[in-house]
């Protein structure tokens, strides 16, 4: 059980960092952090919606993995004391 808990903690750490990175890469509505990494280049690339849709899908899947890891760690912690 300790191995599963360790794997889930590592998965949670990796997904947290990747999720933060992906959220910062999203196209900004009015400037902000997303413009810092590309400026006018992101507006030219943002015209094709395929990259933005794929980024959205990947972010949603990663957020679901992050959520499942948190719930699993919570359940392991709750039932470990019994």
């Amino acid at each position: 059980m300790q191995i599963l808990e360790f794997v889930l903690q590592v998965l949670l750490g990796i997904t947290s960092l990747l999720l933060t990175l992906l959220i910062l890469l999203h196209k900004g509505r009015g400037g902000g952090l997303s413009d810092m990494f590309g400026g006018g280049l992101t507006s030219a690339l943002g015209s094709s919606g395929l990259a933005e849709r794929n980024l959205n899908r990947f972010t949603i899947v990663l957020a679901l993995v992050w959520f499942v890891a948190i719930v699993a760690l919570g359940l392991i912690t709750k039932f470990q004391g019994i």
Side-chain angles (χ1 to χ4, degrees):
M1 201 55 129
Q2 290 178 348
I3 295 173
L4 178 63
E5 187 176 355
F6 178 74
V7 169
L8 284 173
Q9 287 177 350
V10 170
L11 180 69
L12 183 63
I14 291 171
T15 55
S16 295
L17 292 174
L18 286 175
L19 200 55
T20 303
L21 177 70
L22 287 177
I23 289 172
L24 287 176
L25 285 176
H26 274 84
K27 184 177 178 184
R29 298 271 183 238
L33 286 177
S34 62
D35 287 338
M36 183 189 326
F37 298 112
L41 183 62
T42 55
S43 63
L45 292 177
S47 60
S48 101
L50 181 63
E52 187 71 25
R53 280 195 309 258
N54 287 337
L55 184 63
N56 287 339
R57 289 176 187 154
F58 194 63
T59 305
I60 290 170
V61 168
L62 196 63
L64 290 174
V65 170
W66 180 79
F67 180 75
V68 168
I70 287 180
V71 170
L73 274 172
L75 290 174
I76 288 173
T77 304
K78 180 179 179 180
F79 292 117
Q80 204 171 29
I82 295 176

